[in-house]
Amino acid sequence: AGIYILPDDTMIEAGHFETDNTKSFITVSFDQPFNQTPVVIACITTYNGSDTVTGRIRNITVEGFQFLMQEQEANKRSHLTEQISYLAW
């Protein structure tokens, strides 16, 4: 985790957060703003709930992004707390 600057001045931030939210998007803030809107990838990196869940990202800005865990349609819309790891560059 942390903020890194590559030799070509590209900024990268790696981090993680926890959520059990499957009903609405949460806002995740970067530790420091980017100069331009970054590309963000995120992955659920724990296995606390046995139901299949996937991550959804939207509204990426220089200051952060929104994230939601989504259950399969056949499952109820609740999930145990999971750790989400992300990389923005």
Side-chain angles (χ1 to χ4, degrees):
I3 297 171
Y4 306 92
I5 306 295
L6 299 180
D8 67 354
D9 290 330
T10 300
M11 184 175 140
I12 297 175
E13 179 173 323
H16 56 84
F17 58 94
E18 291 186 347
T19 186
D20 64 354
N21 198 330
T22 58
K23 295 179 175 55
S24 61
F25 282 83
I26 62 167
T27 299
V28 178
S29 298
F30 298 129
D31 288 339
Q32 78 179 52
F34 281 77
N35 293 330
Q36 60 186 6
T37 304
V39 172
V40 176
I41 57 173
C43 182
I44 300 161
T45 52
T46 54
Y47 181 71
N48 296 321
S50 60
D51 294 337
T52 302
V53 68
T54 190
R56 301 284 184 213
I57 299 171
R58 73 175 188 186
N59 296 334
I60 301 169
T61 70
V62 296
E63 296 179 354
F65 60 96
Q66 292 183 318
F67 185 86
L68 169 75
M69 284 194 310
Q70 183 178 351
E71 288 269 357
Q72 291 178 311
E73 289 183 23
N75 296 343
K76 60 184 179 178
R77 292 182 62 191
S78 65
H79 197 83
L80 294 175
T81 299
E82 301 285 1
Q83 179 173 286
I84 315 303
S85 298
Y86 69 89
L87 182 64
W89 74 96

